[in-house]
Amino acid sequence: MSSRNGSTLKLVLGRVPPGFYVDMPWLNQHGVSRQLAHKYAESGWLERVVTGLYRRPTPPSAQPPARDWVLPLLSAQRIMGYEIHVGGTTSLASGGYVHYLPLGRPAAYLYSNKPPSWLKRLPLQTELRLRKRRLFTDPNFGLENTEMSTGSRNDDAPLPWEWPLVASSPERAILEAIDELPQTESFQLLDELFGSLVNLRPHVTTELLTTCTSVQVKRLFLVFADRHEHAWRKYLDLSAVDLGSGDRAFYPGGKLHPQYRITVPADLLPRSKGEGQGHAG
């Protein structure tokens, strides 16, 4: 190997921790051609994962992460600089708000307007549900660094697998989760989640409601918020929140909420039933 290639390899290995991924756009930016990446793979410095994506090998004693999507996402965020975050019920689950796991194949909600092309081609046990970052006019408000343990700590071979992921705060994540109703999330799960959301920050929630682009998400959020009557509810300032006008026939066969004028399952109506209930036309 030439001295130039050797220095390039040293640069790559210095920036890519063991177990982490890099794609060809990143390698090209750091002086590694496709041919050179192939040579690195032949020599065992890198491992080819799928077309255009490589991983730095891990020590034999290292345990693989419990959740197979965490390291690829950490790599995309922390190494390659993609704007992508964990959100919805995935972020809420990492914060301990989801108390049971649904049956079937596990899923992870990831949000990006330009996700890495290789994400969907990864051989993962987890279903990656990719969403656009269009629910808020400010795509970055309500994001934070979240500790999301990979379950792979190893004292003999310490690896930076515990780096925090960029993820939605609970205030943002619950709105993202509501946006999945009723196709990929259930009203029952959202109702149970709201029961756990006792510590939402009113100023963050107000800002997110103000910048949320979906009228139905905002109305449904307030349906749940009024139903659970957490202490933070009375501190929300809705003066700048646009709730639109007219009735919304959102849930087929549902009942029209008397205040927020959107159809929901009957058991989500106010406990003291008032006038104006019925089917939306």
Side-chain angles (χ1 to χ4, degrees):
M1 183 179 296
S2 68
S3 59
R4 179 180 179 182
N5 287 346
S7 61
T8 301
L9 175 61
K10 184 178 180 180
L11 173 66
V12 170
L13 297 182
R15 296 192 179 185
V16 183
F20 278 65
Y21 298 69
V22 285
D23 57 18
M24 280 312 307
W26 187 93
L27 288 168
N28 288 159
Q29 291 173 8
H30 292 82
V32 180
S33 65
R34 190 173 296 275
Q35 182 181 16
L36 188 54
H38 180 70
K39 289 182 178 179
Y40 289 166
E42 284 185 333
S43 300
W45 297 110
L46 295 175
E47 297 171 342
R48 183 179 178 276
V49 182
V50 294
T51 301
L53 182 69
Y54 294 85
R55 175 176 54 209
R56 185 177 173 190
T58 56
S61 59
Q63 297 296 316
R67 287 173 290 184
D68 54 6
W69 56 270
V70 172
L71 275 183
L73 187 61
L74 269 178
S75 302
Q77 292 179 347
R78 302 295 183 181
I79 305 297
M80 292 173 272
Y82 285 96
E83 287 191 344
I84 184 170
H85 71 272
V86 185
T89 52
T90 308
S91 183
L92 291 168
S94 73
Y97 297 102
V98 177
H99 301 301
Y100 68 91
L101 295 175
L103 299 176
R105 186 184 179 194
Y109 288 94
L110 306 179
Y111 294 77
S112 177
N113 289 338
K114 293 182 178 180
S117 61
W118 42 263
L119 262 181
K120 279 290 192 178
R121 293 187 279 114
L122 287 175
L124 302 177
Q125 298 289 328
T126 306
E127 175 193 354
L128 300 182
R129 295 177 178 172
L130 297 177
R131 302 291 188 261
K132 297 292 186 182
R133 292 168 37 140
R134 60 189 179 194
L135 188 58
F136 306 95
T137 55
D138 182 347
N140 295 312
F141 187 78
L143 299 181
E144 56 191 24
N145 290 329
T146 302
E147 296 293 337
M148 193 170 294
S149 174
T150 62
S152 56
R153 292 186 183 277
N154 189 300
D155 294 335
D156 296 327
L159 301 173
W161 292 357
E162 305 296 332
W163 284 350
L165 280 166
V166 179
S168 295
S169 63
E171 295 85 359
R172 177 174 177 138
I174 191 62
L175 290 166
E176 292 169 336
I178 290 172
D179 195 36
E180 296 295 324
L181 291 172
Q183 285 79 16
T184 51
E185 297 293 358
S186 70
F187 278 94
Q188 179 184 358
L189 175 61
L190 267 293
D191 196 37
E192 292 175 1
L193 278 172
F194 254 88
S196 302
L197 296 175
V198 297
N199 292 318
L200 292 192
R201 295 164 292 182
H203 66 286
V204 175
T205 306
T206 295
E207 181 68 19
L208 286 165
L209 288 171
T210 302
T211 61
C212 181
T213 59
S214 171
V215 166
Q216 70 185 28
V217 167
K218 290 181 283 190
R219 291 191 190 186
L220 290 169
F221 176 89
L222 293 172
V223 168
F224 285 114
D226 287 4
R227 170 177 168 82
H228 286 274
E229 299 181 323
H230 292 312
W232 50 262
R233 171 62 181 92
K234 61 179 176 289
Y235 297 105
L236 295 181
D237 180 4
L238 303 181
S239 60
V241 177
D242 180 11
L243 295 177
S245 60
D247 296 345
R248 301 295 170 104
F250 169 72
Y251 184 67
K255 298 290 186 178
L256 188 66
H257 193 279
Q259 181 174 357
Y260 298 113
R261 313 304 296 177
I262 188 168
T263 51
V264 295
D267 58 358
L268 293 184
L269 293 176
R271 292 180 177 88
S272 56
K273 297 181 179 180
E275 296 181 0
Q277 297 168 4
H279 292 277

